[in-house]
Amino acid sequence: MLTFFNTLSRQVEEFHPLEAGHVRMYGCGPTVYDYAHIGNFRSFLFIDLLRRYLKYSGYKVTHVMNITDIDDKTIERANRHAVSLREYTEKYTRLFLEDLDHLGAERPEIVVAATDHIEDMVELIKRLETNGHIYTSEGSVYFRISSLDSYGKLSGAKLEGNRSGARVDVDEYEKEDARDFVLWKSSKPGEPHWSTPYGEGRPGWHLECSAMAMRYLGESFDIHCGGVDLIFPHHENEIAQSEGATGKPFVRYWLHCEHLLVEGQKMSKSLGNFYTLRDLLEKGFSALAIRYLLISAPYRKQLNFTLENLRGVETRVKKLVDFKRRLKEFKSLLGTNASLATELKGFEQSFRAAMDDDLNSSAALAVVADFETTLNRAMASEQLFADEHAAANRLVEAFDSVLGLFGKAEEVDLDAEVQRLIDERVAAKAAKNYARADEIRKELAAKGIVLEDTKAGTRWRRA
Ligand code: AMP
Ligand code: ZN
């Protein structure tokens, strides 16, 4: 039975979607003002793991991700680079999606930009106006949080001390500062703006997610997720806007991913303690190892990032990729090994039990490691026969459909070919055949592979 810790109820609950067999989920997407860092990607890979496991569990998934292409930061950056907001944000949207692909994340069914949904947002403000939740001040429209009794139910933010009419215009603020928040900002010089019944202006950040989520998933849907820093104010405000408009429960299960830390502090742009995916690829790390590291801890546990850990993981993923290849290529004889068949069933059950337990990915990876050890042993002792061989290959595919850690077939082949050439080059140099060694370096360079000779041996990376 699949269970999740629900931030809303603060309890582990059994998961049942509203519509049998179909999960509708929304994950908050990036603000596209710069490259995302791997802290951001921890959250996006958690959402990827969630959607993959829902599919593994037999559900059809409709997953929506927004692209925040308008806020203070995107506007400021576009102005600084003297390009239109659209041009600026399209570039970083593309780069974000490329990084997501590199990290092996599946694309959500629906990826949509905020600025393409201004009308939906205006409609939502109209409904909030009808229900008496808004007021206007100095040309901007605010949500009056005291008009909604349930305000604070997700985050535990208290209304006490909230002076009537005290407002915030900024998108991000602390729980202690629960205030009326902005839905529509009156236009300032130099900012993109839209003409609406609420005046010339632009949307506040929170409004876009309510509008887009309900547009594609309906007024009530199953799962909403993001990083823990979004619980307040962003998700609290999304609930207020949506439930204030519809009077119906907005989302049934709220799932939040803990932060990636660097030396005990949240990895963030503002602290400057971050790595982008590109930074790490340039250092010679593989996207597969980064993916492994980011999903290796259960999503509700903080995870401390170090380059040293990543180095360790690099060895681990190489083994996984190699294991998959060796298992595939193994020449098994016809026959059955009943005890191995039972063990394989056990691995499948344990994997499911781990993931059913609020997506306990570290337990699931431990099951995969045991599975690998058992099969390595069976292959070495020639105890792997055709029946279980087929079953084991199927199990690798099944585990990989959730984890995405065994490498893509083409990459695996390329990696093996690169390693073969590197070995040949080492042998050529040892035999003082420098011409052949040079030739191999050039051959690899043509494939976009750069070699580095270090004391520890030859390392390679993609250029
Ligand atoms: P942003 O682009 O700032 O809106 O953030 C995109 C996503 O990354 C959100 O779900 C954030 O909660 C999440 N996030 C930001 N920093 C971290 C971090 N250090 N660890 C995990 N998730 C993070
Ligand atoms: Zn959002």
Side-chain angles (χ1 to χ4, degrees):
M1 175 55 62
L2 180 53
T3 59
F4 294 130
F5 180 85
N6 189 346
T7 310
L8 188 60
S9 65
R10 294 154 182 79
Q11 279 175 13
V12 176
E13 294 177 26
E14 282 184 8
F15 175 71
H16 300 284
L18 275 170
E19 180 191 331
H22 181 195
V23 180
R24 285 171 295 155
M25 60 181 269
Y26 187 93
C28 289
T31 309
V32 283
Y33 69 103
D34 203 340
Y35 291 103
H37 58 65
I38 57 161
N40 300 133
F41 283 118
R42 180 181 190 202
S43 285
F44 294 118
L45 290 181
F46 143 66
I47 299 173
D48 182 56
L49 194 68
L50 169 64
R51 61 163 283 130
R52 283 166 173 260
Y53 190 62
L54 288 166
K55 293 203 306 188
Y56 179 94
S57 304
Y59 293 110
K60 174 186 165 201
V61 171
T62 305
H63 169 193
V64 177
M65 177 170 75
N66 65 299
I67 301 287
T68 300
D69 62 347
I70 179 155
D71 79 325
D72 297 340
K73 289 181 284 204
T74 42
I75 293 172
E76 189 270 323
R77 292 287 179 102
N79 284 345
R80 205 196 304 168
H81 288 85
V83 294
S84 71
L85 183 67
R86 189 83 190 190
E87 193 182 330
Y88 187 81
T89 56
E90 271 178 357
K91 174 182 164 193
Y92 283 100
T93 302
R94 183 174 50 75
L95 293 169
F96 168 75
L97 292 172
E98 265 175 37
D99 283 359
L100 212 55
D101 290 346
H102 266 120
L103 286 167
E106 294 181 350
R107 288 273 179 108
E109 282 65 29
I110 300 171
V111 179
V112 276
T115 55
D116 291 333
H117 294 78
I118 302 289
E119 273 178 35
D120 293 304
M121 297 185 219
V122 171
E123 282 309 307
L124 191 54
I125 300 178
K126 280 188 190 154
R127 292 176 76 178
L128 289 171
E129 183 174 24
T130 306
N131 293 350
H133 292 299
I134 69 166
Y135 61 91
T136 305
S137 176
E138 293 168 24
S140 293
V141 181
Y142 296 88
F143 187 99
R144 189 188 304 281
I145 58 177
S146 62
S147 69
L148 194 75
D149 288 344
S150 59
Y151 190 88
K153 69 177 173 181
L154 181 72
S155 62
K158 301 257 189 311
L159 297 190
E160 293 141 28
N162 170 250
R163 285 172 292 118
S164 176
R167 321 176 276 276
V168 283
D169 285 289
V170 289
D171 290 327
E172 293 172 61
Y173 51 95
E174 298 299 317
K175 218 155 70 174
E176 295 65 41
D177 233 14
R179 304 263 182 97
D180 294 345
F181 59 90
V182 70
L183 297 167
W184 190 259
K185 300 192 194 200
S186 68
S187 72
K188 290 200 195 111
E191 286 190 352
H193 49 93
W194 287 261
S195 182
T196 75
Y198 299 97
E200 286 283 322
R202 65 171 172 103
W205 172 36
H206 314 298
L207 189 64
E208 64 171 274
C209 284
S210 289
M212 290 193 271
M214 293 200 287
R215 162 104 149 117
Y216 295 101
L217 299 173
E219 294 183 346
S220 295
F221 59 94
D222 301 303
I223 303 178
H224 197 313
C225 38
V228 285
D229 53 323
L230 298 186
I231 297 173
F232 189 87
H234 186 53
H235 289 164
E236 192 70 67
N237 291 352
E238 275 192 50
I239 294 177
Q241 296 161 153
S242 304
E243 300 191 354
T246 68
K248 296 179 193 159
F250 177 43
V251 168
R252 301 170 62 240
Y253 302 86
W254 286 91
L255 272 57
H256 291 101
C257 177
E258 260 299 346
H259 283 146
L260 184 69
L261 307 182
V262 183
E263 288 164 17
Q265 279 187 303
K266 174 187 172 190
M267 178 177 284
S268 69
K269 291 264 167 62
S270 53
L271 290 173
N273 59 353
F274 65 92
Y275 289 103
T276 64
L277 174 64
R278 280 144 220 265
D279 293 337
L280 294 174
L281 295 179
E282 269 167 26
K283 286 185 185 296
F285 293 106
S286 68
L288 207 55
I290 298 163
R291 178 180 175 91
Y292 189 110
L293 186 71
L294 293 178
I295 66 173
S296 63
Y299 75 94
R300 290 205 305 123
K301 290 221 162 79
Q302 293 181 330
L303 174 63
N304 202 44
F305 176 80
T306 65
L307 289 175
E308 202 173 310
N309 288 349
L310 187 55
R311 250 172 240 126
V313 170
E314 204 64 67
T315 316
R316 175 75 194 110
V317 289
K318 284 213 171 77
K319 270 195 180 155
L320 270 182
V321 169
D322 179 58
F323 167 73
K324 177 177 174 177
R325 188 181 47 78
R326 281 187 297 106
L327 184 67
K328 218 175 213 159
E329 290 171 1
F330 185 78
K331 303 269 180 287
S332 53
L333 299 175
L334 283 181
T336 297
N337 172 342
S339 75
L340 186 59
T342 311
E343 276 187 280
L344 291 185
K345 286 213 178 73
F347 290 128
E348 193 170 8
Q349 282 162 1
S350 309
F351 180 83
R352 193 178 282 279
M355 292 300 288
D356 276 351
D357 177 15
D358 196 21
L359 306 181
N360 187 339
S361 51
S362 74
L365 287 169
V367 173
V368 170
D370 287 347
F371 162 76
E372 192 186 338
T373 308
T374 300
L375 279 153
N376 275 333
R377 229 177 262 147
M379 284 191 276
S381 58
E382 304 281 337
Q383 290 302 304
L384 178 63
F385 299 107
D387 290 352
E388 290 72 40
H389 187 198
N393 275 325
R394 278 198 301 275
L395 214 48
V396 168
E397 295 300 337
F399 291 161
D400 204 29
S401 73
V402 177
L403 301 170
L405 289 176
F406 288 86
K408 291 198 197 93
E410 327 79 78
E411 282 171 13
V412 173
D413 291 347
L414 178 64
D415 287 6
E417 172 67 3
V418 170
Q419 198 53 52
R420 193 189 62 70
L421 285 168
I422 289 176
D423 293 345
E424 192 191 330
R425 180 168 166 272
V426 171
K429 284 207 313 195
K432 301 208 166 17
N433 183 354
Y434 298 112
R436 176 62 189 145
D438 262 6
E439 204 174 86
I440 291 175
R441 180 187 279 279
K442 280 188 196 135
E443 199 177 318
L444 286 171
K447 289 186 198 309
I449 305 290
V450 180
L451 300 182
E452 274 166 34
D453 292 316
T454 71
K455 275 190 199 135
T458 303
R459 301 220 318 229
W460 65 271
R461 61 182 170 86
R462 296 198 163 82

